[in-house]
Amino acid sequence: MIRFIFKQENKITLIAFILIAAGLILRFSGNTDAGNTALIGATVIAVLPISIKAYQAARMKLFSIELLVIIAVIGALFIGEYVESSIVTFLFLFGSYLEARTLERTRSSIKELTEMAPQEANLILTDGSRKLIDVYDVEIGDKIAILPGGMIPVDGKVMRGEAEVNEAAVSGESIPVSKITGDQVLSGTILDSGYLEITAEKVGDDTTFSKIIELVEEAQDSKSNAERFLDRFAQYYTPGVLILSIIVWFITKDFHLAITFLVIACPGALVIGAPVSNVAGIGNGAKNGSLIKGGEVIEKLSKVDTLVFDKTGTLTKGRPEVTDFKVFAGDEIELTGLIGKLETASEHHLGRAIVEYAEKTSDLSAYIMEQASGVKGQGIEGTISDHSIVAGNRKLLRENGIDIPTDIETYALEREKKGNTAVFAAVDSKLTAVISIADKIRDDAKEALATMRNNGIKHVVMLTGDNRHTAAAVAAELGIDEVHAELLPEDKVTHVKSLKGEGRMISMAGDGINDAPAIATADVGLAMGKGGTDISMETADVVLMADKLSQYAHALSLSKGTMHNMKQNIIIALVTVALLLVGVLMGGVNLAIGMFAHEASVLIVILNAMRLIKFKP
């Protein structure tokens, strides 16, 4: 029965309006009794869904606005104010309907994402034919065909074909990206032109697109400190209003004034003002490629004054390339194969760069990996085809008792001063090669940092495991205030804690497993979503889906805009209630006018929040 009433709420509102119109016409034409009957009928019909909501709240031991409206309506009926009782219930229902519709618009981003989720996949069968299947029936390792205009249903790797892919749904970037054999593709992206055959690597709820939807849904349901405060405030404010209305009645002996005071003092706009701003702000972020995980994150991000960055993959593109493979002893092809095979076990950007280089000159399948283990912040070591291999920085070599001859150290320093990262490689405890790797600074890094400084950022810090010469070169180009190089993951955490100890509000941005502890330690953690690891994305409070620092600048501006919007809504609500109460006590506002103004204030704060949907820095 309750579900039926809720489903019919819009129809009930329409019926109440018709009965009110009929009742007013009958009263105006002189048929008072018939008119009053119609108005009482409108009140009784309209009060049903309101009563159910009030009862449900009361069962949870909550004082709701609906309860105050019911008390006011009963009072109006008791003193024979049938016009006001019917109009109050109708306005409350109609206001609820308009609130629901406008709130739905503020959640448009998540609705659009959900509607865009892929539903089907073209499975390539063993005989080469294709079969259309449900996306949740795709398994890891399945071969999927993507036709022009088709949506990529899973995360995977291109095995065949060439195409232009629109990644706007995931990254917020509308310019198509070229994909060829070996490239990664993400679910929810659209093939503009060409043809691809991909191997599924992540399916179902594990795909990037599914995780985006899940993150945004969770974020829109989470509350900021301001929202939690207003919820607690409403729990005391609402029963306080009931007590005050009784006091007004006791002092003035005017029952009509007391119930008018009761309705007008309802904190509807005050309670809804903060959450609707957060929902709209989070939706805007999602639409523009920055996933902000909740209202509390928005609040913290708006207060950030110090930015801390990892270098590789964050300030730089994260696509480093081998610029020189200098061999000091042994056969270059064999060394390239041994070191390249070892680095296949690494998730680090530098390791991937070495693998890509090695694959061009050696057959890595000819080498056997017997054992491999990464050393956080230092490199990797293991056994390949009966050879002990160590590849990493100076500290890793020292810990393995391997000396760096003066001539090799001099060569490495020269490469580092030119902006390269030097990876030392030793085979069977003898230093045999230095691999120089360079990574370009992100195209939008300088402009994004300037924008963020204009938005209140006072200090920018870079923490990196890379050598101090390369770090200094990047910092000088970007105008970074403070640089700490050759750090281990725990060192990054120590520096973040030190900055927090100075009273700074810290946001830490990174992309790798080694950044996750520092990201978690910062007040606000940020991860690069496209090139980052799952661990860094799960740890972070904000995820940039296109790996663009301009999205970081947008998120920072958006957080400040959202908090400003929230404060506007709170002021609107408080001023409206104050003016109405003065009007009631002075006799210029009756019950129906008060309810109309009350519902209007609720709609005003929602419409104000909706401006955030189109927010641009």
Side-chain angles (χ1 to χ4, degrees):
M1 182 65 181
I2 291 175
R3 286 184 180 178
F4 175 77
I5 290 173
F6 279 146
K7 284 182 179 180
Q8 304 301 317
E9 191 169 325
N10 292 342
K11 292 181 180 178
I12 289 172
T13 305
L14 180 60
I15 293 169
F17 175 75
I18 294 170
L19 286 173
I20 290 169
L24 292 174
I25 291 170
L26 288 168
R27 281 174 58 118
F28 184 75
S29 63
N31 196 343
T32 305
D33 291 341
N36 287 342
T37 300
L39 293 171
I40 293 170
T43 303
V44 172
I45 290 172
V47 88
L48 277 174
I50 301 173
S51 301
I52 292 170
K53 290 177 183 177
Y55 171 71
Q56 290 175 334
R59 286 186 63 186
M60 301 293 291
K61 298 181 180 179
L62 299 174
F63 282 94
S64 65
I65 297 171
E66 286 82 7
L67 180 61
L68 298 185
V69 171
I70 289 170
I71 294 170
V73 167
I74 291 171
L77 289 171
F78 180 75
I79 61 176
E81 293 287 350
Y82 306 125
V83 173
E84 290 193 345
S85 69
S86 59
I87 290 177
V88 164
T89 50
F90 165 73
L91 285 174
F92 192 84
L93 278 185
F94 187 61
S96 297
Y97 166 74
L98 291 179
E99 287 169 34
R101 290 297 300 270
T102 47
L103 276 171
E104 187 178 335
R105 284 202 61 191
T106 65
R107 290 182 175 267
S108 59
S109 295
I110 182 62
K111 186 178 179 182
E112 287 172 13
L113 282 173
T114 305
E115 289 174 350
M116 288 169 62
Q119 303 296 322
E120 296 176 323
N122 263 308
L123 179 68
I124 301 175
L125 303 176
T126 52
D127 62 359
S129 62
R130 295 197 296 262
K131 179 183 178 183
L132 198 63
I133 63 172
D134 188 273
V135 70
Y136 281 97
D137 291 334
V138 178
E139 297 180 357
I140 294 174
D142 281 350
K143 302 293 188 296
I144 305 295
I146 315 296
L147 306 177
M151 182 177 288
I152 298 174
V154 296
D155 291 2
K157 181 179 286 188
V158 177
M159 304 305 294
R160 180 186 171 197
E162 187 174 338
E164 295 290 314
V165 176
N166 187 328
E167 297 184 337
V170 172
S171 66
E173 178 58 59
S174 59
I175 299 173
V177 180
S178 296
K179 298 291 182 181
I180 58 174
T181 303
D183 285 345
Q184 296 292 131
V185 291
L186 302 175
S187 61
T189 58
I190 298 172
L191 195 148
D192 276 357
S193 61
Y195 171 80
L196 294 177
E197 291 182 5
I198 66 173
T199 299
E201 294 180 339
K202 291 183 180 179
V203 299
D205 293 333
D206 293 328
T207 64
T208 300
F209 198 75
S210 294
K211 286 183 177 179
I212 289 173
I213 293 173
E214 182 182 352
L215 284 174
V216 178
E217 285 177 335
E218 289 176 357
Q220 291 191 332
D221 289 334
S222 69
K223 295 186 177 183
S224 65
N225 290 329
E227 287 177 87
R228 286 194 286 266
F229 170 77
L230 289 173
D231 285 345
R232 291 194 299 271
F233 174 78
Q235 287 306 299
Y236 294 102
Y237 178 85
T238 306
V241 166
L242 183 57
I243 293 169
L244 281 174
S245 65
I246 294 171
I247 293 172
V248 169
W249 174 57
F250 181 77
I251 294 172
T252 64
K253 306 300 181 183
D254 188 337
F255 189 67
H256 184 272
L257 178 64
I259 61 172
T260 304
F261 180 92
L262 184 71
V263 170
I264 286 170
C266 292
L270 187 63
V271 172
I272 203 170
V276 74
S277 294
N278 273 332
V279 167
I282 291 166
N284 177 289
K287 195 172 183 179
N288 287 281
S290 54
L291 302 186
I292 304 172
K293 299 181 182 178
E296 187 173 358
V297 175
I298 286 182
E299 191 171 341
K300 286 182 178 179
L301 190 59
S302 70
K303 298 175 182 177
V304 166
D305 58 17
T306 301
L307 301 181
V308 180
F309 290 95
D310 169 52
K311 181 181 75 69
T312 305
T314 306
L315 291 173
T316 61
K317 293 183 177 180
R319 293 288 297 175
E321 296 179 355
V322 174
T323 57
D324 188 44
F325 198 108
K326 181 71 172 178
V327 175
F328 292 93
D331 180 71
E332 183 175 348
I333 294 177
E334 183 182 16
L335 284 174
T336 305
L338 289 169
I339 297 166
K341 185 68 173 183
L342 176 66
E343 292 288 0
T344 59
S346 172
E347 286 193 4
H348 198 276
H349 302 286
L350 301 182
R352 291 201 290 267
I354 294 171
V355 172
E356 288 177 6
Y357 177 84
E359 286 176 338
K360 296 174 183 176
T361 57
S362 302
D363 180 12
L364 299 188
S365 63
Y367 299 90
I368 301 171
M369 183 184 294
E370 294 156 19
Q371 181 269 329
S373 59
V375 182
K376 284 186 178 180
Q378 296 183 38
I380 190 169
E381 54 191 22
T383 304
I384 308 295
S385 298
D386 296 325
H387 291 283
S388 173
I389 315 289
V390 176
N393 58 22
R394 294 170 177 82
K395 188 171 183 179
L396 183 61
L397 264 65
R398 284 197 299 268
E399 290 186 358
N400 281 273
I402 301 170
D403 294 326
I404 303 176
T406 304
D407 61 325
I408 296 180
E409 177 65 28
T410 301
Y411 168 80
L413 283 173
E414 289 175 356
R415 300 301 298 172
E416 288 171 346
K417 288 177 181 177
K418 292 180 180 179
N420 291 272
T421 298
V423 176
F424 297 86
V427 178
D428 297 328
S429 300
K430 182 180 179 181
L431 184 55
T432 57
V434 173
I435 306 159
S436 300
I437 302 174
D439 189 9
K440 291 182 179 179
I441 292 173
R442 291 188 182 276
D443 298 332
D444 63 340
K446 191 174 291 186
E447 184 180 350
L449 287 174
T451 301
M452 289 189 274
R453 286 188 189 275
N454 291 335
N455 268 308
I457 297 303
K458 299 174 182 177
H459 198 62
V460 180
V461 182
M462 184 168 73
L463 305 178
T464 177
D466 210 341
N467 70 84
R468 63 183 182 278
H469 301 291
T470 304
V474 172
E477 186 169 343
L478 293 177
I480 290 172
D481 304 310
E482 186 179 337
V483 182
H484 300 278
E486 299 177 8
L487 302 178
L488 297 173
E490 53 266 33
D491 297 328
K492 293 182 180 181
V493 172
T494 301
H495 281 289
V496 170
K497 286 181 177 178
S498 176
L499 289 166
K500 288 177 71 175
E502 295 173 10
R504 300 177 185 274
M505 194 73 172
I506 308 297
S507 176
M508 167 72 190
D511 71 319
I513 292 174
N514 61 329
D515 299 318
I519 288 172
T521 304
D523 296 298
V524 178
L526 181 139
M528 314 304 273
K530 195 173 181 181
T533 62
D534 289 342
I535 293 175
S536 64
M537 285 188 283
E538 288 171 9
T539 306
D541 301 302
V542 182
V543 180
L544 305 183
M545 295 315 299
D547 288 4
K548 287 194 171 185
L549 292 177
S550 57
Q551 291 178 333
Y552 194 177
H554 178 89
L556 195 68
S557 300
L558 178 65
S559 67
K560 293 180 183 295
T562 301
M563 294 306 296
H564 185 63
N565 187 277
M566 189 187 302
K567 289 173 184 175
Q568 289 175 344
N569 281 349
I570 291 171
I571 291 170
I572 291 169
L574 290 175
V575 169
T576 302
V577 170
L579 290 175
L580 285 175
L581 288 178
V582 171
V584 169
L585 295 175
M586 293 181 67
V589 176
N590 61 26
L591 190 59
I593 293 173
M595 178 56 74
F596 178 81
H598 173 268
E599 292 301 328
S601 69
V602 171
L603 291 176
I604 287 170
V605 299
I606 293 174
L607 291 171
N608 183 51
M610 286 176 66
R611 293 189 301 116
L612 288 170
I613 295 174
K614 296 183 179 180
F615 173 87
K616 291 182 180 180

